[in-house]
Amino acid sequence: MKPARDNAAPDLITIHGAFMAEPSPDIAESFTDMVNGVIAGDRRALAKAITLVESARDDDRAEAEALLRALMPRAGRSLRIGLSGAPGAGKSTFIEAFGMQLIADGHQVAVLAVDPSSRRSGGSILGDKTRMEQLSRNPSAFIRPSPSGGELGGVARRTRETIALAEAAGFDRVLVETVGVGQSETAVADMTDLFVLLLAPAGGDELQGVKRGIMELADIILVTKADGDMRPAALRQAADVSAALMFMSPRIAGWRVPVIAISALEGAGLDQVKAAIADFAAHDAEGRAQRRKAQDAAWMWNEFKALMLARALSNPKVAAQARLLEDQVMRGEISPVAAARALVEGVNSD
Amino acid sequence: MKPARDNAAPDLITIHGAFMAEPSPDIAESFTDMVNGVIAGDRRALAKAITLVESARDDDRAEAEALLRALMPRAGRSLRIGLSGAPGAGKSTFIEAFGMQLIADGHQVAVLAVDPSSRRSGGSILGDKTRMEQLSRNPSAFIRPSPSGGELGGVARRTRETIALAEAAGFDRVLVETVGVGQSETAVADMTDLFVLLLAPAGGDELQGVKRGIMELADIILVTKADGDMRPAALRQAADVSAALMFMSPRIAGWRVPVIAISALEGAGLDQVKAAIADFAAHDAEGRAQRRKAQDAAWMWNEFKALMLARALSNPKVAAQARLLEDQVMRGEISPVAAARALVEGVNSD
């Protein structure tokens, strides 16, 4: 854990003033209410804060950053668990059962989602809370659907900030669910401490559904539906996956990726999952702290470059030149490096 | 193949002038000689051109880009084959044997290397040409050691441009070798059409030497040293790897990654490798053309962002602010997004 994060939240007005023009009294008041509400673990305040962070409006963004600055010192106190699996792998059923177990152990559980496809698929993957009936009604749980669509970068950024808000509100177990759509897994792995992959029992061919690279992101692999008629198939698959893992080095040095057959229905294997997560958290304690810092720094630099690019392209002349150069590059008429340099000249000569 | 690449090289002087101040006559002359030399397939001219592209000096860079602009229309006419494997996997032995077979089939073979570690390891992985005795002496082959060290991004950029130069010189098979040091494989996969992974026969545990993600980059996997006492182990391993592949989706949709046991010593399996490469090239013909364009465009944008960042940080005030903000981010005091925005303000207010 980062020592700085144990400090109390610094004086709001300072932070506030540092980020936005002096707000009208009522905004300032609602802002202070929101900050204190989140710190008090008030669900409505947290939901409101997340909506603010998810907003694309510029003035909202300024307030969102003031909010984050006020709450960041209280963030970072959770274990962030990424969860992925193809549709039908049994993610919701697992989260429902496992989340209730975490709560029984005295944890506060937040469930978030990264689903860049939600706009297309019309509705976020966590939109239907009936998929997690008990959990969604439990006072120790907070379930937040995926922000509605948009490109992955944006969704991922907002989810990272939402994690910080949930942590500031006192949630010490943050589950970030993603559908197996490829890119999003990497984004989730980059914002969590631990990545869990769920596989439904199936022949190897159906497993092709697991996008490339995902297997090697996983710190723990669960084979679901190990009950009734499916149990033999699930156990066989767990063995096959273990064998396959021999050919992949673990994400975290020295960690042996466990493959656990579970039944969310019968609650079988959930204790093993709990133990595996505890083992991993202990094994990776030092690495986690370092990695979080590196992740945050990398995030800042990527964001900076993205903003510089957006600002450059907001100039119509530069945007036109960029399109021209990109065409030349794609036609193989000019080296991408030369094109990039020419574009930089264009930006600075303007 | 990109139609534009079939055009003759446009008039040099125009291109030249577009990129650098009017050069002194002798420079202009040597430049024209170099361009025509490369086009004529002259080895000395090609070697000189690559050295120019690898140079870090600014004025060299300007000339290098004029050179690339002159030669890019003639590039793109090769099959670019990435090769990777842990030290001792038998890469050089395979390249020597396979390269000679390609030449026997009438191909012109260029062998390049990406080895960001070469500075540390003191000497590039291809520095010792005795490792490829026949090939290095063959007039239809061109072997270029890895640029001496430096960070991966730089090495990768120069290798991409070196590929273009080799293609302009008429080499229609470009092998890009990399040691299994992780990151470099992804870079090589991003600049080649086909990625071949070499594995030495070994137990699963030793295979942990294969860095994470590499297995899933591979379009073709070779298990080497399938001769003498090693043959049974090699065949067993080929079967194990095939089984493991069931759990990974291929890089190219619809392609079934073949696992071939080979003996470079006895020449066993080389025909299968040739056939597999031909099958892949045919299967992926359309995808290859599209992917190359996308790779080049992505390369341009990354280069542009890197240049913008470097330029911003060349301002001492901005650099100091960046260090300050990065520290705050890593201490968890400020959101990476807010820090990035603050830094952009700093750049523009200056």
Side-chain angles (χ1 to χ4, degrees):
Chain A
M1 192 165 306
K2 306 175 190 178
R5 295 199 162 166
D6 291 317
N7 302 345
D11 165 39
L12 301 185
I13 298 319
T14 330
I15 292 150
H16 203 199
F19 271 77
M20 47 195 298
E22 212 37 68
S24 63
D26 58 323
I27 287 185
E29 197 198 306
S30 71
F31 178 85
T32 313
D33 292 347
M34 202 191 302
V35 172
N36 297 333
V38 171
I39 292 170
D42 171 66
R43 265 166 187 51
R44 277 188 51 265
L46 177 56
K48 205 171 140 202
I50 294 175
T51 305
L52 181 64
V53 160
E54 288 176 357
S55 166
R57 286 179 44 210
D58 272 3
D59 50 344
D60 284 347
R61 188 65 217 164
E63 195 178 353
E65 286 176 5
L67 181 74
L68 284 163
R69 181 147 203 171
L71 295 173
M72 286 297 279
R74 294 174 177 277
R77 299 202 188 107
S78 84
L79 186 65
R80 303 165 184 169
I81 304 173
L83 287 158
S84 181
K91 289 188 296 296
S92 323
T93 320
F94 171 75
I95 294 173
E96 166 90 339
F98 188 64
M100 290 309 291
Q101 192 188 45
L102 287 172
I103 288 168
D105 293 341
H107 293 294
Q108 301 281 310
V109 180
V111 183
L112 314 174
V114 170
D115 178 16
S117 66
S118 57
R119 180 180 291 158
R120 266 183 288 103
S121 67
S124 69
I125 53 177
L126 280 174
D128 176 11
K129 289 198 179 183
T130 60
R131 284 164 63 239
M132 299 175 191
E133 245 184 90
Q134 298 183 60
L135 207 58
S136 58
R137 282 199 311 266
N138 192 294
S140 293
F142 178 84
I143 300 183
R144 179 75 178 193
S146 169
S148 59
E151 45 82 44
L152 179 58
V155 175
R157 169 205 297 169
R158 289 173 291 181
T159 306
R160 285 169 177 270
E161 295 181 336
T162 301
I163 291 173
L165 294 178
E167 289 173 340
F171 292 92
D172 64 341
R173 290 292 181 275
V174 178
L175 311 185
V176 183
E177 176 188 2
T178 181
V179 282
V181 296
Q183 277 300 3
S184 57
E185 280 75 9
T186 318
V188 169
D190 280 346
M191 67 178 79
T192 54
D193 304 314
L194 165 63
F195 194 80
V196 179
L197 175 64
L198 285 78
L199 302 173
D205 290 356
E206 281 129 285
L207 259 170
Q208 300 279 351
V210 181
K211 293 288 182 309
R212 37 183 293 99
I214 307 302
M215 283 278 288
E216 285 166 298
L217 283 178
D219 302 305
I220 296 173
I221 295 178
L222 309 182
V223 178
T224 57
K225 305 175 184 178
D227 42 45
D229 305 351
M230 297 287 263
R231 183 167 169 77
L235 296 180
R236 197 166 48 247
Q237 172 150 333
D240 293 347
V241 171
S242 300
L245 287 173
M246 286 208 315
F247 299 97
M248 308 177 208
S249 45
R251 186 174 68 98
I252 304 302
W255 173 249
R256 184 163 188 74
V257 176
V259 181
I260 307 170
I262 65 166
S263 164
L265 255 65
E266 302 174 354
L270 294 184
D271 287 338
Q272 281 165 269
V273 176
K274 196 168 91 179
I277 289 176
D279 289 349
F280 181 88
H283 174 87
D284 186 48
E286 182 47 38
R288 175 167 63 250
Q290 292 310 314
R291 202 163 48 251
R292 281 185 174 188
K293 294 183 183 189
Q295 284 173 352
D296 287 349
W299 181 16
M300 175 186 109
W301 289 115
N302 290 334
E303 187 72 17
F304 174 74
K305 288 191 280 187
L307 287 169
M308 292 288 284
L309 177 61
R311 194 171 289 248
L313 294 182
S314 67
N315 174 336
K317 264 181 63 183
V318 173
Q321 187 193 13
R323 276 191 300 278
L324 203 72
L325 286 164
E326 191 179 35
D327 290 344
Q328 290 180 300
V329 164
M330 292 177 77
R331 281 199 305 272
E333 293 168 8
I334 173 175
S335 153
V337 174
R341 283 169 56 103
L343 191 55
V344 170
E345 301 311 325
V347 170
N348 293 282
S349 72
D350 207 72
Chain B
M1 194 166 305
K2 309 177 191 178
R5 295 197 162 165
D6 292 318
N7 301 346
D11 166 38
L12 300 185
I13 296 319
T14 329
I15 292 149
H16 203 200
F19 272 76
M20 47 196 295
E22 211 38 67
S24 65
D26 58 322
I27 287 185
E29 199 198 306
S30 71
F31 178 86
T32 314
D33 291 348
M34 201 191 301
V35 172
N36 296 332
V38 171
I39 292 171
D42 172 68
R43 267 167 184 50
R44 278 187 51 265
L46 177 57
K48 205 173 141 201
I50 294 175
T51 305
L52 181 64
V53 160
E54 288 177 356
S55 165
R57 287 177 46 209
D58 271 4
D59 51 343
D60 284 348
R61 189 63 216 165
E63 195 178 354
E65 285 176 8
L67 180 74
L68 284 163
R69 180 148 203 169
L71 294 173
M72 286 297 278
R74 294 175 178 277
R77 299 201 187 111
S78 84
L79 186 65
R80 304 164 184 169
I81 303 174
L83 287 158
S84 181
K91 290 188 294 296
S92 324
T93 322
F94 171 74
I95 294 174
E96 166 89 339
F98 188 63
M100 291 308 291
Q101 191 187 46
L102 287 172
I103 288 168
D105 293 340
H107 294 294
Q108 300 282 311
V109 180
V111 183
L112 313 174
V114 170
D115 179 14
S117 66
S118 58
R119 179 179 290 158
R120 267 182 287 102
S121 68
S124 71
I125 54 177
L126 279 174
D128 175 11
K129 290 199 180 181
T130 60
R131 284 165 63 240
M132 299 176 191
E133 242 183 276
Q134 298 181 60
L135 207 57
S136 57
R137 281 199 312 265
N138 192 294
S140 294
F142 178 84
I143 299 183
R144 178 75 179 193
S146 169
S148 59
E151 46 81 44
L152 179 58
V155 175
R157 170 206 296 169
R158 290 172 292 180
T159 306
R160 286 169 177 269
E161 295 181 335
T162 301
I163 291 173
L165 294 177
E167 289 173 339
F171 291 92
D172 64 341
R173 289 293 180 274
V174 178
L175 310 185
V176 183
E177 176 187 3
T178 181
V179 283
V181 296
Q183 278 299 3
S184 57
E185 280 76 8
T186 317
V188 169
D190 280 346
M191 67 178 79
T192 53
D193 305 313
L194 164 63
F195 194 80
V196 179
L197 174 64
L198 284 79
L199 301 173
D205 290 356
E206 282 130 284
L207 260 171
Q208 300 280 350
V210 181
K211 292 287 181 311
R212 39 183 291 97
I214 308 301
M215 283 280 286
E216 286 166 295
L217 284 178
D219 302 305
I220 296 174
I221 295 179
L222 308 183
V223 178
T224 57
K225 304 175 184 178
D227 42 46
D229 305 350
M230 297 287 263
R231 182 166 170 77
L235 295 179
R236 197 166 47 246
Q237 172 149 332
D240 293 347
V241 171
S242 300
L245 287 174
M246 285 208 316
F247 298 98
M248 307 176 210
S249 45
R251 188 174 67 97
I252 303 303
W255 174 249
R256 184 162 189 75
V257 176
V259 181
I260 307 170
I262 65 164
S263 165
L265 254 63
E266 302 174 355
L270 293 184
D271 288 338
Q272 281 165 271
V273 177
K274 195 169 92 179
I277 290 177
D279 289 349
F280 180 87
H283 174 87
D284 185 47
E286 181 47 37
R288 175 166 64 250
Q290 291 311 314
R291 204 162 47 251
R292 281 184 174 188
K293 293 183 183 188
Q295 285 172 352
D296 286 349
W299 181 17
M300 174 186 107
W301 288 115
N302 291 334
E303 187 72 17
F304 173 74
K305 288 191 281 187
L307 288 170
M308 292 289 283
L309 177 61
R311 193 171 290 245
L313 294 182
S314 66
N315 174 335
K317 265 180 64 183
V318 173
Q321 186 193 12
R323 276 191 301 277
L324 202 72
L325 286 165
E326 191 178 34
D327 290 344
Q328 290 180 298
V329 164
M330 291 177 77
R331 282 199 305 271
E333 293 168 9
I334 173 176
S335 152
V337 175
R341 285 170 56 103
L343 191 56
V344 170
E345 300 313 324
V347 170
N348 293 282
S349 72
D350 208 72

